[in-house]
């Protein structure tokens, strides 16, 4: 969308039953205009967005025609029927944006002073995207901006980094596949009967299809014409079972009898052709196949055959033995490639099969296009790789940026690990009691009193002792709870409390960030802001009190301690801010007595 | 940067240079000045290749009267590509500073399979069928036929190339295989024959070892090289094995069957020619009377693999009378095949020297030594006469003639070993007759004789005094460089115990212990959770790797590993391995991280770098000893003991440790790079084993790291990684500089060189 302006073919109707006047709908940020095809028609009109109260539209997939309904503040509705849903989609978004903007600008004309230059449409779009993708951000935004604690501009001013083009585009990185092999799950055998149970979920099916294109192909061919979904998978599992049992002879025998079963056991032809295609565009500095092509020493029967450095393979029945190693390689390759199938499409095998086909086709055409570019790129890359990095100025390789889906997961586990190891290493000092530590600290202080300061002011051992006692509490919590590195203190609480805590913590962070950044208060605008922030903070503070009080009753005793431990720093931070505010106010009042021309 | 080494101005394509690179160049220059051979060991990760290339090209630039041609031999094609890429970098730099005067022609040379651009030929499956398919289109008699009959298919690329005649030349520049193909396609010329033609004019030729060492190939490609050329064998730590393999042949019953089929086919052809064109056979007879020195006049497209033995004496003599006639020669071959079949049919392992073998062949089959010696060339001549183009069908009989010629030519340094089955699989009868060469100096001797400077270099040549003995030559310079490090960027560790404090080893009696497999698995699981990006694991053999991965899969270790990193594995199928490697690199590039399982002595260990984020940790599971019960190895050890007074144990340890060092050495590429190496076997802590590691690893192997268990290793790894993440001063701290700028070098030139180095 080129922002600024949108034009679409529509039919303008005054009511739903009206046959409508064909014409063009012109949308800009400020207003909308309708130009009928017949210039003589009376239905031509212009209208500014700020007069529009709300908008409705028909949902895609319903039987109705794609329509957009705008209602003005006088209660008149304007209905536009579009030619297709895509057009509607575009206009819908545009109108939504225009409306939100027009609703925003007229409101707090006083606060937006100096700070708020009108953001460009692109930026607005970005902001909306960010809010949509990041639910936490959305919550914060809702809480503060809608409540008038912060203005939109202020809110985004602290998140300039998120808005700087590149990053936001990268955030679209798809979530990759899991590394673990799902399809390799072992069959369940119950001891009593001769029954073997395989468990297949759509996710496993996706993996099977992606890793074994021949199975995928077979599925598309035979299901549901020749056999049912269930039969197909039964047969597949039978083949897998044969394969697992590592009995190549049995597999060969069965395959000879059953055509379809043989398909699952035979090497994959589709895969083979794909391999041939891929090997052609492999990095030449890795290409060992080329190497084989150049090796005349190892003509058949030349060189040393049996000196123990070379291995022997049992080549009988080989086509029926797919090795684990091949499976692993294949699996990793598929994971690396990723798939374009969303989780929503993981309903049943049929949809998975079809979705895969589609994504593959898209992939293929894309591949053919950039084949030429890729080889050039590859060469450039190789020559860059050849350079020795520290002999020359840096030459950054184009690496994919790190994108962690949920940073909290990452840091939590890291922290737990760190705690664990610090425990491991300081295991000797653990025994030190508080009293002992205090004693040694006091000793060294008195020593200083006697001898004055010498080079290490306090002996490192003493410092270590004291520190470890002081931090014992924190680390022990982590230690006791964090036996599993993925588990953090928070997980011990009921879900609601956990979420509340996190939310409060984020809110406080946001508020404090704004609060401290507005010091020193030099303008009336900042003064107002600080006051607003202060009010919000005291509100949260009281909320925290409430939580604490509530939880004292509801939560088990050992968790209560941890909860207070968690909440205390929040309260402290808030208190510090309040105190600073009060002190500042005092100072200001004192000053304003001397200098009546001051602000405020 | 530009600097002087004595009278040579060296152009070096970077702004800075490592001190060891500088001294490497100094030594190399002295060897070139002295016109002698040299042996240089310099750790991986110090830019050996670029130092070598820039000194030798600069040397020939500064001495225009003495045209020095560089023949650069690499182990593998992908290393060849890497070398050419570095050369390109250097060449661009030299052109920028010297203008077109610095223009050189550098080409990589490989087989038809890698250079051909004709789609119909390329459709063939393997190398030999590509060669044959090419011959079918380009052999002189095919082209003669095509001139009369337009329906006979020819190769348009070759025809265009022939038509262009002397105009078909490559403009100066650096050509990788891909560049050659691209150029060939653009001009419509055959890149393979163009490259082969240009070899004699090129300033730098990069090709694989065998083009010099294997007489079969060297006979065709390398015969016109001037004596003044400088020959470089890079990554030469395995050069003795290459030499030995080049002169070894083995015969199986499959080979004999194939050879019999080939013989009857040849017989048919002879009958056909007798009926239609008896004159040809007679002409061949007459030619053979005069000797075999005909090869020089052959059209380039007709050449086949050359004689497997060293060529010198054989060409001058006349072919013995009893095989001059085609039918007689055929009879001789039939008898030979028959005799070999009889020998293969044995119950016990037999070992024999070539002399007694030839004697018994003479009594039983009536074939004397001189006849044997000429077998290969006689076959070659016959196949040309019979105008056979599908040479890939005749590999079996060719093998037999190879064998005959080698056994007839060499009386020492070889042995013939007949085994009825492989000891590791005694239930499967698979008789093999192996002619195995024990003396590495045989194959490399003509190279030392023919060229005035041969440079043998690698990251691991220790003990450096062993190589001159194995290869039987006298280097004028033989030096081993240490590595001056800015910081301790490599961290070797010896892990002797697992997490349960029990020893780990791949020793024969412990190999099948599930506890060891579990401990190894545990080590890897712990490591994948702390080491970022790529991890490489080397196992002692394919079968061991296969077993251990299967057991990890069953015990769930593999699943745990895969929670952190993707897993890629080297298999015996090169195509699959190549793709796995490619994917591994991409997984490291995208930040997902991966583990690569590989095999010491395998193809990957030979020449793939795991530098930077492609390898932050290498784990060597076990010591990669050779299979000591192998009859061939035992024979070779005996030979080494008798001829060079090298003890068996010493040689085995030396060989195993150089492989291990080679595996772990792949992890580092420059001083800014960093990586850890874990030697996971209790035997590494023993002094006699450990001391065989190259000095640059030993000097970083602290005593505290000699006897670790899994948890201790994990702790060290964490600390190391944290330390490496800190910023540091690249030029080195303290008195010793580890990175020299142009200024430093100029200062050094004033104050005398030795002062600042080492």
């Amino acid at each position: 969308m080129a922002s600024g302006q949108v034009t679409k073919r529509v039919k303008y109707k005054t009511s739903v039953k009206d046959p409508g006047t064909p014409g063009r709908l012109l949308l800009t940020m400020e207003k909308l205009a309708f130009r009928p095809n017949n210039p003589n028609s009376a239905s031509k009109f212009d209208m500014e967005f700020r007069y529009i109260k709300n908008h409705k539209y028909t949902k895609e997939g319903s039987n109705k025609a794609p329509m957009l309904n705008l209602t003005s503040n006088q209660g008149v509705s304007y209905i536009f029927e579009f030619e297709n849903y895509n057009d509607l989609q575009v206009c819908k978004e545009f109108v939504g944006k225009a409306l939100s903007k027009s609703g925003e600008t007229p409101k707090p004309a006083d606060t937006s002073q100096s700070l708020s230059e009108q953001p460009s449409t692109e930026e607005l779009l970005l902001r909306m995207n960010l809010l949509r993708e990041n639910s936490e951000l959305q919550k914060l935004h809702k809480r503060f901006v809608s409540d008038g604690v912060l203005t939109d501009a202020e809110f985004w001013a602290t998140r300039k980094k998120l808005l700087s083009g590149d990053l936001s585009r990268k955030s679209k990185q798809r979530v990759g596949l899991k590394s673990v092999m799902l399809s390799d799950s072992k069959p369940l055998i119950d001891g009593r009967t001769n029954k073997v149970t395989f468990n297949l979920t759509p996710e496993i099916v996706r993996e099977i299809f992606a890793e074994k294109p021949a199975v995928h192909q077979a599925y598309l061919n035979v299901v549901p014409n020749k056999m049912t979904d269930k039969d197909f998978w039964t047969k597949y599992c039978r083949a897998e079972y044969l394969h697992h049992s590592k009995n190549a002879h049995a597999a060969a025998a069965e395959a000879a009898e059953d055509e379809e079963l043989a398909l699952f056991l035979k090497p994959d032809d589709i895969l083979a052709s794909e391999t041939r295609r891929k090997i052609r565009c492999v990095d030449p500095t890795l290409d060992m196949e080329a190497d084989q092509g150049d090796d005349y020493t190892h003509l058949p029967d030349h060189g040393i055959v049996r000196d123990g450095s070379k291995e022997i393979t049992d080549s009988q029945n080989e086509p029926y033995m797919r090795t684990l190693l091949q499976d692993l390689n294949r699996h990793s390759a598929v994971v690396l490639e990723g798939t374009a199938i969303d989780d929503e499409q993981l309903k049943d095998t049929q949809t998975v099969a079809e979705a895969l086909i589609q994504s593959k086709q898209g992939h293929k055409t894309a591949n053919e296009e950039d084949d030429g570019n890729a080889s050039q790129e590859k060469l450039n890359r190789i020559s860059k790789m050849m350079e020795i990095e520290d002999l020359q100025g840096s030459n950054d390789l184009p690496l994919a940026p790190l994108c962690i889906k949920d940073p909290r997961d990452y840091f939590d586990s890291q922290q737990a690990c760190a705690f664990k190891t610090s425990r491991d290493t300081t295991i000797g000092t653990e025994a030190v009691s508080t009293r002992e530590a205090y004693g040694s600290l006091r000793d060294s202080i008195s020593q200083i009193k006697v001898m004055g300061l010498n080079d290490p002011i306090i002996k490192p051992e003493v410092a270590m002792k004291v520190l470890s006692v002081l931090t014992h509490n924190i680390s022990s919590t982590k230690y006791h709870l964090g036996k599993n590195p993925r588990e953090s203190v928070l997980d011990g609480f009921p879900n609601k409390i956990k979420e509340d805590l996190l939310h409060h913590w984020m809110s406080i962070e946001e508020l404090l960030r704004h609060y401290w950044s507005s010091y020193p208060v030099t303008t009336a605008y900042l003064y107002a802001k600080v006051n607003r922030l202060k009010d919000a903070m005291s509100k949260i503070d009281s909320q925290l009190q409430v939580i604490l009080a509530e939880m004292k009753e509801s939560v088990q005793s050992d968790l209560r301690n941890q909860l207070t431990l968690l909440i205390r720093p929040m309260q402290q931070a808030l208190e510090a801010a309040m105190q600073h505010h009060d002190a500042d106010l005092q100072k200001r009042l004192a000053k304003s007595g001397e200098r009546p021309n001051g602000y405020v | 940067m530009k600097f002087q080494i004595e009278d040579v101005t060296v152009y070096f394509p970077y702004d800075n240079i490592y001190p060891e690179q500088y001294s490497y160049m100094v030594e190399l220059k002295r060897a070139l000045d002295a016109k002698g051979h040299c042996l240089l060991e310099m750790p991986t990760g110090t830019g050996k290749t670029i130092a070598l290339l820039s000194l030798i090209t600069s040397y020939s630039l500064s001495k225009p009267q003495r045209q020095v041609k560089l023949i650069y031999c690499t182990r593998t094609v992908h290393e060849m590509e890497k070398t050419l890429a570095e050369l390109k970098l250097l060449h661009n730099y030299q052109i920028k500073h010297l203008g077109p005067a610095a223009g050189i022609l550098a080409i990589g040379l490989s087989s038809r399979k890698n250079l051909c651009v004709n789609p119909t030929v390329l459709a063939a499956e393997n190398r030999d069928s590509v060669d044959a398919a090419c011959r079918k289109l380009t052999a002189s008699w095919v082209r003669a036929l095509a001139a009369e009959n337009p329906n006979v298919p020819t190769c348009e690329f070759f025809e265009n190339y022939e038509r262009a005649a002397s105009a078909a030349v490559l403009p100066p520049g650096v050509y990788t295989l891909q560049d050659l193909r691209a150029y060939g396609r653009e001009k419509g010329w055959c890149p393979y024959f163009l490259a082969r033609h240009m070899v004699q004019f090129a300033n730098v030729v990069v090709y694989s070892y065998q083009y010099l060492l294997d007489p079969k190939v060297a006979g065709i490609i390398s015969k016109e090289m001037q004596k003044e050329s400088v020959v470089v064998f890079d990554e030469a730590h395995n050069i003795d094995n290459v030499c030995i393999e080049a002169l070894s042949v083995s015969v199986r019953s499959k080979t004999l069957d194939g050879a019999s089929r080939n013989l009857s086919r040849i017989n048919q052809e002879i009958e056909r020619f007798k009926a239609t064109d008896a004159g040809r056979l007679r002409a061949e007879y007459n030619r053979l009377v005069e000797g075999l020195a005909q090869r020089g006049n052959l059209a380039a497209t007709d050449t086949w693999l050359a004689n497997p033995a060293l060529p010198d004496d054989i060409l001058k003599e006349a072919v013995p009378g009893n095989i001059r006639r085609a039918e007689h020669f055929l009879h001789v071959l039939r008898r030979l095949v028959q005799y070999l079949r009889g020998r293969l049919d044995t119950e016990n392992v037999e070992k024999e020297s070539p002399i007694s073998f030839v004697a018994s062949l003479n009594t039983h089959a009536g074939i004397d030594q001189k006849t044997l010696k000429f077998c290969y060339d006689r076959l070659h001549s016959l196949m040309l006469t019979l105008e056979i183009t599908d040479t890939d069908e005749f590999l079996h009989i060719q093998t037999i003639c190879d064998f005959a010629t080698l056994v007839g030519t060499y009386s020492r340094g070889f042995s013939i070993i007949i085994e009825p089955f492989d000891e590791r699989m005694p239930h499967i009868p698979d008789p093999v007759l192996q002619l195995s060469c024990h003396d590495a100096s045989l194959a490399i001797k003509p190279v030392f004789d023919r060229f005035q400077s041969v440079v043998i270099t690698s990251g691991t040549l220790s003990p450096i005094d062993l190589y001159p003995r194995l290869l039987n030559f006298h280097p004028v310079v033989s030096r081993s460089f240490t590595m001056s490090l800015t910081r301790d960027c490599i961290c070797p560790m010896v892990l002797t115990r697992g997490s349960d404090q029990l020893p780990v080893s791949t020793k024969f009696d412990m190999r099948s212990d599930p506890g060891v497999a579990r401990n190894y698995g545990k080590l890897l699981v712990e490591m994948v959770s702390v080491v970022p990006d790529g991890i490489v694991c080397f196992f002692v053999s394919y079968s061991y790797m296969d077993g251990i991965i299967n057991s990890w899969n069953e015990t769930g270790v593999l699943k745990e590993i895969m929670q952190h990193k993707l897993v890629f594995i080297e298999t015996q199928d090169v195509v699959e391995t190549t793709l796995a490697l490619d994917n591994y690199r991409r997984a490291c590039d995208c930040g997902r991280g991966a583990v690569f399982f590989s095999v010491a002595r395998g193809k990957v260990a030979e020449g793939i770098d795991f530098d930077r984020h492609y390898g932050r940790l290498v784990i060597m599971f076990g010591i990669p000893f050779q299979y000591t019960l192998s009859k061939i190895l035992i024979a070779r050890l005996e030979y080494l003991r008798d001829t060079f007074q090298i003890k068996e144990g010493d040689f085995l340890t030396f060989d195993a440790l150089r492989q291990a060092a080679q595996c772990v050495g792949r992890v580092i590429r420059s001083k800014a790079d960093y990586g850890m190496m874990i030697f996971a076997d209790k035997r590494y802590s023993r002094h006699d084993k450990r001391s065989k590691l190259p000095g640059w690893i030993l000097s970083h192997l602290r005593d505290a790291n000699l006897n670790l268990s899994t948890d201790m290793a994990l702790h060290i790894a964490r600390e190391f990684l944290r330390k490496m993440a800190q910023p540091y001063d690249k030029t080195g701290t303290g008195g010793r500089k580890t990175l020299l700028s142009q200024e430093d070098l100029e200062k050094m030139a004033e104050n005398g060189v030795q002062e600042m180095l080492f």
Side-chain angles (χ1 to χ4, degrees), chain A residues 249-295:
Chain A
H249 296 286
E254 290 246 2
E257 277 168 26
D258 191 331
E259 215 177 295
E260 274 107 17
L261 194 76
L263 203 77
F264 298 135
L265 291 168
K266 261 195 307 219
D268 200 324
D269 288 336
I270 304 174
L271 211 58
S273 72
E274 210 173 290
T275 311
R276 270 197 292 279
R277 187 179 59 77
K278 275 190 193 148
I279 195 90
R280 253 178 268 139
C281 38
V282 96
D283 182 345
T285 59
L286 290 179
D287 192 353
M288 285 186 289
E289 204 222 0
D291 193 36
Q292 203 179 34
D294 199 25
D295 186 0

Side-chain angles (χ1 to χ4, degrees), chain A residues 177 179 290-296 298 301-303 305-306 329 332 336 381 386 388 390 392 421, chain B residues 14 18 77 111 114 127 131 210-211 245 248 250 252 255 402 430 562 567 569 574 583 589 592 669 718:
Chain A
L177 295 174
S179 303
D291 193 36
Q292 203 179 34
D294 199 25
D295 186 0
Y296 282 93
H298 294 102
D301 298 325
H302 282 71
V305 182
R306 202 179 279 167
N329 276 336
S332 299
L336 199 61
R381 204 185 154 82
M386 266 4 275
I388 300 177
D390 59 341
Q392 199 70 17
T421 52
Chain B
Y14 298 106
Y18 296 139
V77 174
S111 65
N114 293 335
R127 191 240 352 265
D131 286 353
Q210 48 177 329
Y211 286 81
E245 293 226 33
S248 298
S250 57
R252 289 163 186 269
T255 324
D402 264 355
D430 179 23
M562 285 175 109
V567 170
I569 304 170
V574 275
N583 283 328
D589 282 339
R592 184 146 196 155
R669 178 175 158 77
R718 278 212 188 91

